[in-house]
Amino acid sequence: MDSTATPPSGVVQTAPAPPAPPEKVEPESTPQGATGPTSAQPEVTAFDIAVRAPEAIKELLDKHLELQRYRAVTDLDEAELARLIVLAERNVRNLVGTLGYFSPNITITREGGVNQRPTIVVAVDPGQPTTIGTVAIDFAGDIAASPDPAAQAQRADIQRDWRLPAGRRFTQDAWDGAKTQALRELVARRYPAGKLAGSLADVDAPEHSAALSVNLDSGPLYRLGPMQVTGVERYDPVLVPRLARLSTGAPYDQNQLVEAQQRLASSGYFDSAYVFVDPDSDPEAAPVQVQVREARLQKIVLGVGVTTDAGPRASIEHTHLRVPGTNWRAATKLQIETKSPFAQTEWTSIPDESNWRWLALARAERVDDDTLVTRSSRLRFGRIQSGERIDRNVYAQYDRASVSGSGQTGTSAADTGDGSALTGNYVWTGRYFDSLIAPNKGYGLGFELGAGSTMGAQHLPLGRVVGRWLGILPLGSGRIAMRAEGGAVIAKDSARIPGTLLFRTGGDTTVRGYGWRDIGITLANGATGPGRYMAVGSVEYQRPMMKDGRPSDWENTFFIDAGSVADNPKDMRASVGIGTGVRWKSPIGPLQMDLAYGVKPKALRLHVTVGFVF
């Protein structure tokens, strides 16, 4: 078939195509007047166009038909208009071919008398669409013959993820998209210089079938070379490679470069970061280019907010990224609110080669539960490691709690959480979600282990353990989110354990339908105090709200929560809340608005939170 009459780029027909218009009807010159793009809507038009075809084809022709551009030529005579009508048939055939119809019946006629405004009627019966027959994906370069299992797996992934398998309908957009996706998967790992060496869609119009062939040339395998950093002036030069965590000699992986870039940008030290490898560099040791723009050495952040648990709040936070005389970062925050105002300062070192940091923290807080007022202080010193999926924390901690208020009358200090303790702790958290901002599937798991002694008049041993789990299971429509948390403090009954190490629950992120820390131990005077054992569970169905047949950014939820706190496991009695709510996928995470009914208080309560944290 003549290349001037082929369907879209990369597509050929093996069956004869309809004959082209005769040469003699080719216009001798371009019609007078500006033609403009086919999508233009001229104020004055020489003729009307009516397309009679199925909706998808009509939309395509209305937008791209070549005849549209000549409507602005108002001095067309009848002969020129006749020539344009003949030429339009080839244009319509090629356009319809982009949707996979290669044997359409096309009729283009002129309606209206000689002295009347003409209407060009384009009638298209597309016929049977073309479907994919055979598909051949061939490889060249290192990936073609590499015995490395990673290369073989990448080759298999490209073939498995091919978007136009046999039996699928052929369209030009789908064909282009499939090739683009295959190339994207090739260059994402190991082969940044990969290219599409060739492609062909061989269309058999009478059989309504297309045989596809694609050749992907990977080029050589690339390994990461030394890091070349620009933009660092204020901070220790070792900071960028330690935050990026890219190993010299490792195979190129675009995802790892993106993750390194995100680590740098989210570290607080840099306003922006760009990490890349030049495909024209040495494949054996391709230098990793890192361009950063440093953040200001100090900054102050003012904040206001409101929660249904604690009401309105205001905060001020000062961060110094390099305290004079050290490489440590200091973040100091003061938060003012009705229920739990606090002041805190946290100092952290830059990470070492294993990504461990030293950490020092001091915090003072006042918690008002209406009947008990707990003034607590905390000192912590240890090391922390933050990874892509796993966080670890090892530290020594001193806690002191002083309790006052009407709820203390007639109770012992041990019952209200008045005391102090020194403990050693290990905390581990693993996050295996598909997204850490708005997950749709996956799970998270965490636990805390602590041991130490009470302080003050008596030094009694204590042990503390906390475990938590969140699982998200996708369904055909929506997902199920399941949550569980439990904790225990082991010590003698007479031990004065500070309330900051004991348990109370209830509120926005625990058991909805109850107020903040409403679930605890009922003391002899009727007040609610902290307990040594805690269990919380929740099941939530999250269903997307549909808009125009597609899921929107809003979801509807139905949930049931339950929780209990006791000083003895056999005394655990569940407090249950049930309700419904909505979610909005905001840029900073889900905005949650829930209306819950607490079974024990027999009352409705509104809960509002923003963001996803595990």
Side-chain angles (χ1 to χ4, degrees), residues 401-458:
S402 176
V403 183
S404 61
S406 61
Q408 197 178 29
T409 305
T411 62
S412 68
D415 289 337
T416 59
D418 189 300
S420 60
L422 180 63
T423 57
N425 301 269
Y426 177 75
V427 180
W428 183 95
T429 303
R431 303 175 184 89
Y432 303 94
F433 302 101
D434 61 339
S435 168
L436 296 181
I437 297 178
N440 291 305
K441 64 180 179 179
Y443 69 95
L445 181 67
F447 64 84
E448 303 175 23
L449 300 175
S453 173
T454 60
M455 307 298 286
Q458 284 187 310

Side-chain angles (χ1 to χ4, degrees), residues 56-380:
I57 294 176
K58 183 178 186 302
E59 182 179 348
L60 177 71
L61 297 181
D62 284 340
K63 188 174 182 180
H64 297 291
L65 188 62
E66 285 289 333
L67 276 175
Q68 297 282 4
R69 71 172 64 230
Y70 293 102
R71 296 176 65 198
V73 183
T74 56
D75 56 351
L76 285 174
D77 59 27
E78 291 296 327
E80 289 173 327
L81 185 59
R83 294 189 188 101
L84 291 176
I85 291 174
V86 174
L87 291 172
E89 192 273 344
R90 180 182 297 182
N91 175 230
V92 172
R93 187 172 300 279
N94 287 338
L95 288 172
V96 173
T98 66
L99 297 181
Y101 298 101
F102 292 101
S103 300
N105 291 321
I106 300 170
T107 303
I108 304 177
T109 57
R110 179 191 186 282
E111 293 184 353
V114 175
N115 296 321
Q116 294 180 337
R117 179 182 176 85
T119 298
I120 308 303
V121 178
V122 181
V124 180
D125 179 5
Q128 184 176 334
T130 298
T131 57
I132 307 302
T134 60
V135 177
I137 303 177
D138 299 318
F139 296 91
D142 180 84
I143 196 174
S146 174
D148 190 333
Q152 296 174 4
Q154 184 174 0
R155 193 167 61 228
D157 289 344
I158 294 172
Q159 293 172 326
R160 182 198 63 212
D161 297 338
W162 176 251
R163 292 185 174 182
L164 272 182
R168 187 73 57 85
R169 178 179 165 182
F170 177 89
T171 67
Q172 183 65 36
D173 284 347
W175 172 227
D176 292 340
K179 291 184 290 184
T180 300
Q181 175 63 21
L183 181 59
R184 184 180 293 121
E185 289 191 44
L186 176 67
V187 301
R189 290 179 291 153
R190 303 167 61 85
Y191 308 109
K195 62 183 180 180
L196 182 65
S199 65
L200 177 68
D202 191 357
V203 176
D204 186 342
E207 296 296 327
H208 307 290
S209 175
L212 307 182
S213 62
V214 174
N215 186 271
L216 297 170
D217 185 352
S218 70
L221 168 67
Y222 277 67
R223 295 188 179 275
L224 301 185
M227 188 172 293
Q228 299 177 353
V229 182
T230 58
V232 175
E233 297 177 359
R234 298 191 183 103
Y235 308 123
D236 193 319
V238 304
L239 181 61
V240 169
R242 290 182 181 178
L243 289 173
R245 301 201 295 273
L246 296 172
S247 301
T248 301
Y252 170 88
D253 189 318
Q254 189 178 58
N255 285 337
Q256 290 183 1
L257 298 186
V258 171
E259 290 169 357
Q261 182 172 296
Q262 291 173 341
R263 281 193 293 270
L264 291 167
S266 63
S267 67
Y269 290 101
F270 306 105
D271 288 333
S272 64
Y274 183 41
V275 182
F276 65 97
V277 166
D278 184 357
D280 294 329
S281 58
D282 179 12
E284 295 295 326
V288 179
Q289 306 290 337
V290 182
Q291 300 173 357
V292 296
R293 183 162 59 90
E294 293 179 325
R296 291 186 177 183
L297 199 60
Q298 300 185 63
K299 65 178 179 180
I300 294 178
V301 178
L302 303 177
V304 294
V306 62
T307 66
T308 48
D309 280 342
R313 66 170 180 259
S315 65
I316 179 171
E317 183 173 4
H318 173 263
T319 302
H320 198 304
L321 294 176
R322 189 174 186 179
V323 177
T326 74
N327 278 333
W328 287 45
R329 175 170 58 186
T332 302
K333 183 175 183 178
L334 174 64
Q335 181 163 300
I336 302 172
E337 61 179 57
T338 306
K339 294 291 187 180
S340 58
F342 70 85
Q344 173 179 298
T345 183
E346 183 180 66
W347 292 41
T348 54
S349 69
I350 65 173
D352 62 16
E353 291 82 357
S354 301
N355 198 36
W356 283 94
R357 302 169 182 256
W358 289 102
L359 175 143
L361 177 143
R363 179 184 177 98
E365 185 175 16
R366 178 183 180 274
V367 178
D368 187 348
D369 299 322
D370 295 330
T371 57
L372 294 176
V373 177
T374 303
R375 293 176 175 83
S376 64
S377 56
R378 170 174 291 173
L379 297 174
R380 176 185 296 177

Side-chain angles (χ1 to χ4, degrees), residues 387-614:
E388 297 306 315
R389 298 289 183 182
I390 297 175
D391 295 344
R392 298 177 177 89
N393 200 346
V394 181
Y395 57 89
Q397 181 168 290
Y398 172 78
D399 287 272
R400 175 75 178 93
S402 176
V403 183
S404 61
S406 61
Q408 197 178 29
T409 305
T411 62
S412 68
D415 289 337
T416 59
D418 189 300
S420 60
L422 180 63
T423 57
N425 301 269
Y426 177 75
V427 180
W428 183 95
T429 303
R431 303 175 184 89
Y432 303 94
F433 302 101
D434 61 339
S435 168
L436 296 181
I437 297 178
N440 291 305
K441 64 180 179 179
Y443 69 95
L445 181 67
F447 64 84
E448 303 175 23
L449 300 175
S453 173
T454 60
M455 307 298 286
Q458 284 187 310
H459 289 66
L460 297 176
L462 68 92
R464 186 175 187 272
V465 59
V466 177
R468 55 198 179 101
W469 172 82
L470 171 65
I472 301 178
L473 177 66
L475 303 175
S477 176
R479 67 191 75 87
I480 294 288
M482 297 167 285
R483 174 168 48 90
E485 184 176 4
V489 174
I490 311 299
K492 288 186 176 181
D493 292 343
S494 58
R496 292 183 56 175
I497 302 170
T500 50
L501 297 181
L502 298 173
F503 303 104
R504 290 179 66 171
T505 191
D508 295 342
T509 59
T510 56
V511 184
R512 289 160 289 188
Y514 297 78
W516 181 58
R517 291 164 56 92
D518 273 358
I519 301 172
I521 301 295
T522 302
L523 304 177
N525 60 7
T528 300
R532 298 190 176 192
Y533 294 88
M534 179 267 293
V536 173
S538 174
V539 177
E540 180 173 291
Y541 172 51
Q542 303 167 350
R543 181 184 63 181
M545 297 181 182
M546 307 301 287
K547 181 179 180 180
D548 298 328
R550 298 180 178 180
S552 69
D553 289 335
W554 289 87
E555 294 181 338
N556 178 225
T557 66
F558 300 91
F559 58 84
I560 178 169
D561 300 341
S564 180
V565 173
D567 276 334
N568 193 309
K570 67 180 181 180
D571 297 329
M572 303 279 278
R573 300 291 184 272
S575 297
V576 178
I578 57 175
T580 184
V582 294
R583 302 281 184 275
W584 175 58
K585 296 180 181 178
S586 77
I588 60 173
L591 167 65
Q592 305 180 180
M593 294 173 284
D594 298 320
L595 185 63
Y597 176 77
V599 175
K600 283 188 176 180
K602 298 181 180 179
L604 290 170
R605 181 178 289 269
L606 178 67
H607 299 271
V608 180
T609 58
V610 179
F612 172 78
V613 178
F614 181 84

Side-chain angles (χ1 to χ4, degrees), residues 1-8 11 13 17-21 90 93-94:
M1 179 177 178
D2 186 2
S3 61
T4 60
T6 59
V11 181
Q13 292 184 196
R90 180 182 297 182
R93 187 172 300 279
N94 287 338

